[in-house]
Amino acid sequence: MEFGVLGPITVWSDGRPVSIGGPRQRCVLGALLVDLGREVTVDRIIAYLWSDDPPRTARSVIQVQVSHLRRLLPDRISTTAGGYVLDVDPESVDLHRFRRLRDEAVRAEPEHAVELLDRALACWSGVPFSGIGSEALEHTVISPLREERWAAVIAWATCALGLGRYAEVISRLTPLAGEEPFRERLHHLLITALWRDNEKARALAAYEDFRARLADELGVDPGPELAALHARILHEDAAQGRNAATEPTEPGVRYRVRNDLPRDLPDFTGRGDVLRSLEEVALADDDRAQVCVITGAGGEGKTTTAVRFGYESAKRYPDGQLFIDLYGYTAGKEPLDPSSALGSLLRAVGVEPETIPETLEERAALWRATLMGRRILLILDNAVNHAQVSPLLSSSPGSLTLITTRNELSGLSGARFLSLGMFDERSSLELFSRVLGEARVRDEEDRAREIARICGGLPLALRVIAGRMLSRPRWSFEHVVRRLTEQNRKFRELQVDGQSVETAIDLSYRSLTEEQSHAFLTLGLMIGNTIDLAGGAALLNVSLEEADDILQELVGVCLLDEPQGDVYRMHDLIREFSLDRATGEFGAERVGRIRTGLADHYLATAQHAADLLGPRAIQDEEMIKPGYRTELMSRADAESWFDLHRDNLADTIEHFAAHDNGEHAWRMAESVWRFYALYGQMGLLISSQERALQISDRQGNLRGRAVTLIGLGIGHYFSGRFEDALRMLVEARDLLTRVGDSRGIIRALANLGMVYERVGRLRESAEAIQGVLEHAVALGDRRLEALQWGNLAVVRQGLGQHREALHCAEQALAKVPKEDDQDSRALVKRVMGEAKVGLGDVESALRDLDEALDLSHRLGLVASRIYIHNSLGVAYRAACCWDEAIEAHEEALVLAESSGHRSGDAEILTDLGITHAEAGHHEEAVIALEKAHAVAVERDERYIVARACLALGTLPAPMMTADRGEGFLRTATEIFTEVGSPDAERARAALAERFGG
């Protein structure tokens, strides 16, 4: 594990962040990490958390936090007489790594010291303990740590100045000087670096700014050391930072320094990350020539980005900034051959035309010799291949060659490769604002966003739209959206002043071989927005090896993206170009056959993946067996495949339905519903089931309707529409009885039991689950049996039968090994934790709930995490840890909102209200409980209605009037009695105590 203190308190495992709880738990961990290996007393932790005003339960709260941390770090935290000691490897903690590197730098030679201090400062990621702690923590821990950082910054800058690395000092200290406006030593070093880097005017301006700030805000003058530096700058010339390059000895050469970069766009937008990467390349190593390749599809802005960097970095290359277009993708021009390119470049730097050799080899040698000892920036634009650019590269140390291309130039060893990609929404809107003015964009921001989406973030397309609108001030964004969405008009709109998106794509398309061209058009027919290697093989009707070769070739010419290994997508406009050409060349009938072949591939793989996720509604279908099916060996494989194709599979259902293949449509819907349900994809779940239901109804397919109703009912259940869920599941059960599908009937009953439990019909729920359990035992289906024992545990817990619930949960664990069905284990551990809270064993309950949460995180079980967070809130409430309890309830609500899993809203709000009430937050309790009551009444969740009523009825005056309180308690008593809950006795007792009846 890796630990972060020099910024937000963080824990990383195998490169992934680990959840470490709320602010207090992070503060406790941070305190132990700072004093690693030494005792941190409980009193000191209390002071860190609450300064001078700790709550009565402070020590209990800290014990709970440490208990959680011990589960995160087993056998690493020991208890001492007065507190706790943490034992982990100091190298795994950024603070102690920083201190080791800093201390080593003190004993090192300057060159090595700068490197060590640079690595030490890289350990910092922000303000220590960011977002947590107290005033006491700020004074005793955070401020001293920040002083350590500043001391390291000063030491680094002093060393770097001594080595003449002025530009690096300026780059690092300029933003830091803004953070510390009165730290005089920092400003002294920055001013010195500016002066020695021949930036005398900027050095004097920086001094004047600092002096004025001291006078205005503190009423003092700079110290004598800084004042002396100012006087020296005024009366002395800065030492020359670099020696002039030696004159070349080649005959006929009188070297000419020139800047022939094209015009820099005044409205250049975005690409900050690429410019920073180019800056890193430029600063990487002065002892050798640097080469960087900027790749991207036509219209991504490769040239404009290279030119912008050229202007920004011109001072770093005093011997010239050269630009040459190699015409790799230019309409009406052949790519420039390297010999001609060298002739142009040699003449540009002053070589007499009559002295330029004839052969390519001699020209390349003269070019390298002419540049040797000079620092130049060379931009080779529109390169087509490695052979074209290789002779043009500079070999002079300190020089940089930038190459822009649509092709892979993998033969360039030692080069850095940067891929541009598309603009995000922010950059797209920024481009519109710079060209058209902020007001015009602000007035129609939603429509501007829509245009950015239609253009797919392609800079050329965005710039063409902006140019057309600039010349047509009466055009609104809404008008442009309408024109872009009219049939067959998009590419006509995306051209202006000789710039055309379609032409840019067509130039790349025309460069393809016949095999590549056929593959490119076929890939435009993919279902959904992405395709993996197996899908590509199915679509192209070739082997996996052949598909891999052709897909990589298309990636190499930037007509296909590979956002992750063996997963491919086309930019929206390239896809539209491909689809239009494919339809014209292949014909509608062939296009349909190609797409159906891919759809069958998705169905076969989805059926196999669904079997790995758990029991399904049907088992006897004839499996589709196309030629290419992704090999899935485990549940994790199935989850990854479903996650990758979640949108494609919904589009596949639409494809089957649109082609009147209702049988395949409902089978695909049945295969995907479980994944959508488990991982919070409610919109996709319901829309895909509804589409399959439409085609089943149109074709009179009763079995298809029944199976789809099960999936749709589950979707409505998770979305909180319980009446709809019950109606659909009852109809599904009846239809499956009618067609004699016993397995399907059991599946419908299992889900009915789940919905009955949620609406408080607990006896009916238990009966349904018991029937499924008996069926599972008869079949010998241990996975289904374990699942039903878990469901039965939930019902027993709802009835207040904690020991029976624990027994059912233990039965569930005994049926399936831990490694075989982890989602069932997550459910069971949650119910065990809830039952143990009811039995008063809070510490053991927290262990079970933490295990359940960890499993659910690793498996991506969104619905499970919602209920576990709420159960943790109940457990913390039992431990009187009010802040932690409220945080856990609220986390459950946030997760439900973001995922669309709304079935537990009323329950969570009720528990949140009860926690607020017990913590004495009566106003917050009323808000949460009344909202819970309204939601539960609307959804007919009678058991939750009763719980909310009981909590509302027992609130003190004046939060609850006598009449309302009595009404709530009478309602609670009636419902609890009706559903057989032991809480009926509590409600009756509260009614008798408060109102005498």
Side-chain angles (χ1 to χ4, degrees):
M1 283 187 171
E2 297 287 327
F3 303 89
V5 176
L6 303 178
I9 305 299
T10 53
V11 179
W12 294 77
S13 178
D14 296 327
R16 301 178 66 182
V18 176
S19 174
I20 49 175
R24 290 178 183 167
Q25 195 163 310
R26 297 200 301 275
C27 183
V28 173
L29 175 60
L32 294 173
L33 288 168
V34 169
D35 286 322
L36 193 62
R38 300 197 301 270
E39 180 189 63
V40 181
T41 66
V42 173
D43 289 339
R44 195 176 350 150
I45 296 174
I46 290 173
Y48 289 166
L49 289 172
W50 294 286
S51 292
D52 298 325
D53 189 26
R56 174 178 52 83
T57 57
R59 289 182 178 272
S60 298
V61 170
I62 291 171
Q63 288 171 356
V64 171
Q65 310 299 347
V66 173
S67 176
H68 280 304
L69 291 173
R70 280 180 168 145
R71 286 190 281 280
L72 176 69
L73 303 166
D75 304 322
R76 294 294 184 180
I77 302 176
S78 56
T79 303
T80 64
Y84 305 97
V85 175
L86 175 63
D87 179 23
V88 296
D89 181 6
E91 280 299 299
S92 68
V93 184
D94 56 8
L95 170 61
H96 301 291
R97 203 160 57 246
F98 161 77
R99 286 173 171 169
R100 176 186 61 76
L101 291 164
R102 177 201 61 191
D103 294 343
E104 287 181 15
V106 173
R107 301 183 294 273
E109 293 297 319
E111 291 85 354
H112 189 38
V114 167
E115 179 188 342
L116 290 169
L117 288 167
D118 208 26
R119 289 165 54 195
L121 290 168
C123 295
W124 285 76
S125 59
V127 178
F129 290 77
S130 179
I132 57 178
S134 65
E135 188 176 337
L137 183 69
E138 172 68 32
H139 290 314
T140 57
V141 178
I142 298 174
S143 289
L145 287 177
R146 293 173 78 175
E147 288 303 315
E148 289 188 50
R149 179 201 180 199
W150 287 118
V153 169
I154 297 299
W156 174 87
T158 303
C159 246
L161 274 176
L163 295 170
R165 294 162 68 167
Y166 310 131
E168 293 176 55
V169 176
I170 295 167
S171 177
R172 172 165 276 167
L173 296 195
T174 298
L176 297 181
E179 293 179 31
E180 289 289 322
F182 303 115
R183 194 175 290 271
E184 188 159 322
R185 180 58 181 158
L186 184 72
H187 288 268
H188 186 286
L189 290 166
L190 174 58
I191 294 167
T192 302
L194 288 166
W195 175 48
R196 292 183 180 174
D197 200 42
N198 296 323
E199 295 281 359
K200 181 176 181 180
R202 287 179 62 193
L204 292 171
Y207 172 84
E208 184 57 32
D209 287 345
F210 182 68
R211 185 204 61 76
R213 193 180 307 114
L214 288 180
D216 292 344
E217 300 188 31
L218 301 180
V220 298
D221 293 323
E225 186 178 0
L226 186 54
L229 173 64
H230 179 238
R232 189 177 173 195
I233 295 172
L234 289 173
H235 293 97
E236 295 180 21
D237 290 328
Q240 292 298 321
R242 302 183 181 94
N243 292 326
T246 58
E247 284 298 316
T249 59
E250 288 74 20
V253 176
R254 184 178 180 83
Y255 188 83
R256 181 188 304 128
V257 175
R258 59 185 286 165
N259 180 333
D260 55 10
L261 297 178
R263 184 176 70 95
D264 186 22
L265 294 179
D267 49 21
F268 180 89
T269 305
R271 304 305 186 199
D273 54 340
V274 177
L275 292 173
R276 284 190 292 273
S277 296
L278 290 171
E279 183 80 9
E280 291 173 7
V281 173
L283 295 173
D285 187 358
D286 273 357
D287 294 331
R288 67 184 184 89
Q290 301 291 333
V291 179
C292 185
V293 181
I294 303 175
T295 62
E300 285 190 11
K302 302 179 291 297
T303 302
T304 55
T305 301
V307 169
R308 168 52 63 100
F309 176 76
Y311 279 101
E312 289 186 350
S313 61
K315 288 185 178 179
R316 188 175 294 113
Y317 303 102
D319 298 310
Q321 302 84 44
L322 305 174
F323 179 96
I324 185 169
D325 189 344
L326 300 178
Y327 301 127
Y329 293 89
T330 303
K333 285 183 176 289
E334 290 295 320
L336 194 64
D337 66 86
S339 182
S340 298
L342 281 169
S344 296
L345 290 169
L346 287 166
R347 288 191 296 273
V349 297
V351 179
E352 295 296 335
E354 60 272 14
T355 66
I356 296 176
E358 290 296 324
T359 68
L360 173 63
E361 292 76 12
E362 288 177 314
R363 289 187 177 194
L366 177 58
W367 173 242
R368 291 191 298 271
T370 301
L371 297 185
M372 188 55 63
R374 304 186 188 279
R375 296 173 65 93
I376 70 153
L377 172 67
L378 171 63
I379 298 179
L380 304 177
D381 191 42
N382 253 336
V384 70
N385 54 37
H386 172 265
Q388 186 187 33
V389 300
S390 182
L392 315 183
L393 302 179
S394 167
S395 58
S396 178
S399 65
L400 171 62
T401 303
L402 282 185
I403 304 169
T404 73
T405 180
R406 302 187 193 185
N407 288 345
E408 285 185 333
L409 302 180
S410 51
L412 286 176
S413 59
R416 173 82 175 270
F417 289 82
L418 299 175
S419 179
L420 287 190
M422 303 300 161
F423 273 180
D424 58 17
E425 184 180 273
R426 182 190 60 79
S427 295
S428 299
L429 294 183
E430 183 182 349
L431 174 60
F432 285 147
S433 296
R434 290 196 176 187
V435 177
L436 302 172
E438 292 183 5
R440 196 168 173 185
V441 176
R442 188 170 55 246
D443 290 344
E444 290 187 278
E445 188 166 320
D446 289 342
R447 291 301 192 186
R449 292 178 194 278
E450 188 173 353
I451 292 173
R453 180 191 58 76
I454 292 171
C455 293
L458 183 67
L460 174 59
L462 296 166
R463 191 166 288 283
V464 167
I465 291 294
R468 288 174 70 86
M469 292 184 68
L470 185 64
S471 64
R472 296 164 176 81
R474 294 184 180 178
W475 276 20
S476 65
F477 282 102
E478 182 175 5
H479 176 71
V480 174
V481 169
R482 188 163 57 249
R483 294 176 68 92
L484 285 171
T485 52
E486 288 179 7
Q487 188 174 12
N488 299 324
R489 185 161 189 162
K490 184 179 296 182
F491 281 120
R492 293 208 309 274
E493 292 300 313
L494 294 175
Q495 53 186 336
V496 65
D497 295 337
Q499 291 184 307
S500 167
V501 173
E502 185 174 20
T503 299
I505 299 171
D506 187 58
L507 285 168
S508 294
Y509 173 64
R510 289 174 182 272
S511 71
L512 301 178
T513 66
E514 183 177 349
E515 181 186 23
Q516 291 171 337
S517 174
H518 178 270
F520 172 69
L521 298 183
T522 304
L523 287 166
L525 305 177
M526 71 176 76
I527 296 173
N529 294 318
T530 62
I531 195 164
D532 63 5
L533 180 58
L539 190 62
L540 297 171
N541 195 26
V542 297
S543 69
L544 287 173
E545 292 76 14
E546 291 173 303
D548 186 41
D549 289 342
I550 195 70
L551 290 169
Q552 287 300 317
E553 288 170 6
L554 292 174
V555 170
V557 294
C558 295
L559 285 174
L560 197 63
D561 296 329
E562 190 177 12
Q564 63 187 81
D566 288 342
V567 177
Y568 306 91
R569 71 177 299 276
M570 280 183 177
H571 183 275
D572 292 346
L573 293 173
I574 295 176
R575 171 83 179 277
E576 189 162 330
F577 176 96
S578 173
L579 186 58
D580 180 64
R581 296 290 175 96
T583 303
E585 185 165 327
F586 295 162
E589 184 179 345
R590 185 179 173 191
V591 165
R593 285 200 308 272
I594 293 172
R595 289 169 63 85
T596 296
L598 179 61
D600 286 345
H601 160 78
Y602 282 144
L603 175 56
T605 313
Q607 288 175 327
H608 178 46
D611 287 335
L612 293 170
L613 287 188
R616 295 169 59 206
I618 54 174
Q619 292 288 320
D620 63 341
E621 71 274 16
E622 181 180 341
M623 297 289 285
I624 303 295
K625 300 187 189 318
Y628 310 96
R629 192 176 76 188
T630 305
E631 289 300 322
L632 306 175
M633 306 301 295
S634 66
R635 179 195 177 95
D637 291 343
E639 290 169 348
S640 297
W641 188 84
F642 272 128
D643 187 48
L644 178 63
H645 295 87
R646 64 178 69 186
D647 295 316
N648 297 352
L649 300 181
D651 289 341
T652 301
I653 295 171
E654 176 59 38
H655 172 83
F656 283 136
H659 288 75
D660 290 329
N661 193 338
E663 191 75 10
H664 283 187
W666 74 256
R667 289 184 187 279
M668 176 61 93
E670 192 280 328
S671 297
V672 300
W673 75 260
R674 185 179 180 89
F675 173 79
Y676 288 154
L678 287 173
Y679 299 95
Q681 302 296 311
M682 290 302 103
L684 285 173
L685 191 159
I686 291 175
S687 63
S688 63
Q689 301 295 319
E690 286 178 340
R691 188 66 179 99
L693 189 62
Q694 288 174 1
I695 187 66
S696 291
D697 286 349
R698 194 169 80 234
Q699 297 180 340
N701 189 325
L702 295 182
R703 189 165 184 240
R705 176 175 175 80
V707 174
T708 307
L709 281 172
I710 292 176
L712 198 53
I714 292 166
H716 284 296
Y717 163 79
F718 279 123
S719 300
R721 295 185 285 273
F722 303 121
E723 284 189 20
D724 290 337
L726 283 174
R727 174 176 54 78
M728 292 175 178
L729 290 169
V730 168
E731 183 184 348
R733 180 198 62 193
D734 294 345
L735 284 173
L736 290 164
T737 302
R738 182 173 164 186
V739 299
D741 185 345
S742 59
R743 180 86 185 195
I745 295 168
I746 293 302
R747 199 74 184 127
L749 280 177
N751 288 294
L752 272 170
M754 180 173 66
V755 183
Y756 281 143
E757 183 272 332
R758 175 53 51 193
V759 298
R761 295 163 65 172
L762 301 180
R763 292 190 185 91
E764 291 169 274
S765 176
E767 288 174 11
I769 294 170
Q770 192 66 49
V772 180
L773 182 58
E774 292 169 2
H775 180 79
V777 172
L779 286 177
D781 189 335
R782 290 175 64 86
R783 293 179 75 191
L784 184 58
E785 186 181 350
L787 184 60
Q788 298 316 308
W789 274 117
N791 289 337
L792 196 56
V794 173
V795 176
R796 298 300 182 202
Q797 177 65 16
L799 289 167
Q801 300 168 356
H802 305 307
R803 294 195 183 281
E804 291 85 344
L806 201 55
H807 169 73
C808 292
E810 288 166 348
Q811 288 293 310
L813 283 183
K815 298 300 176 185
V816 179
K818 178 178 179 180
E819 67 276 4
D820 190 44
D821 206 357
Q822 298 289 276
D823 59 333
S824 292
R825 185 175 181 86
L827 166 67
V828 171
K829 279 293 183 178
R830 183 196 106 209
V831 180
M832 291 178 79
E834 293 171 350
K836 288 176 181 178
V837 171
L839 295 170
D841 187 1
V842 176
E843 186 173 351
S844 180
L846 285 169
R847 283 198 297 272
D848 285 334
L849 291 171
D850 280 346
E851 181 181 346
L853 188 60
D854 180 62
L855 281 169
S856 297
H857 266 294
R858 285 195 281 115
L859 296 171
L861 304 177
V862 178
S864 180
R865 284 165 53 201
I866 293 169
Y867 289 106
I868 295 166
H869 278 297
N870 191 55
S871 299
L872 279 166
V874 174
Y876 283 130
R877 181 172 73 215
C880 298
C881 296
W882 311 120
D883 290 345
E884 288 76 9
I886 291 167
E887 183 180 352
H889 293 313
E890 290 178 343
E891 177 68 21
L893 288 171
V894 169
L895 195 54
E897 172 71 28
S898 63
S899 68
H901 273 285
R902 310 311 300 270
S903 59
D905 285 3
E907 177 184 351
I908 300 166
L909 285 165
T910 299
D911 280 317
L912 175 61
I914 293 170
T915 299
H916 275 307
E918 292 191 17
H921 311 152
H922 295 128
E923 291 183 3
E924 292 88 344
V926 169
I927 293 170
L929 289 168
E930 288 188 339
K931 186 174 181 180
H933 182 264
V935 172
V937 168
E938 179 185 353
R939 296 178 178 177
D940 197 28
E941 295 181 75
R942 292 183 58 72
Y943 178 64
I944 303 300
V945 169
R947 289 190 64 214
C949 284
L950 176 58
L952 283 165
T954 53
L955 287 172
M959 306 309 301
M960 186 57 56
T961 63
D963 288 346
R964 290 192 75 210
E966 182 177 2
F968 280 133
L969 290 175
R970 290 194 183 280
T971 300
T973 303
E974 292 170 7
I975 295 175
F976 282 141
T977 302
E978 175 190 325
V979 301
S981 170
D983 286 329
E985 189 56 41
R986 282 183 54 215
R988 270 192 291 272
L991 187 63
E993 179 185 345
R994 291 178 175 238
F995 305 106

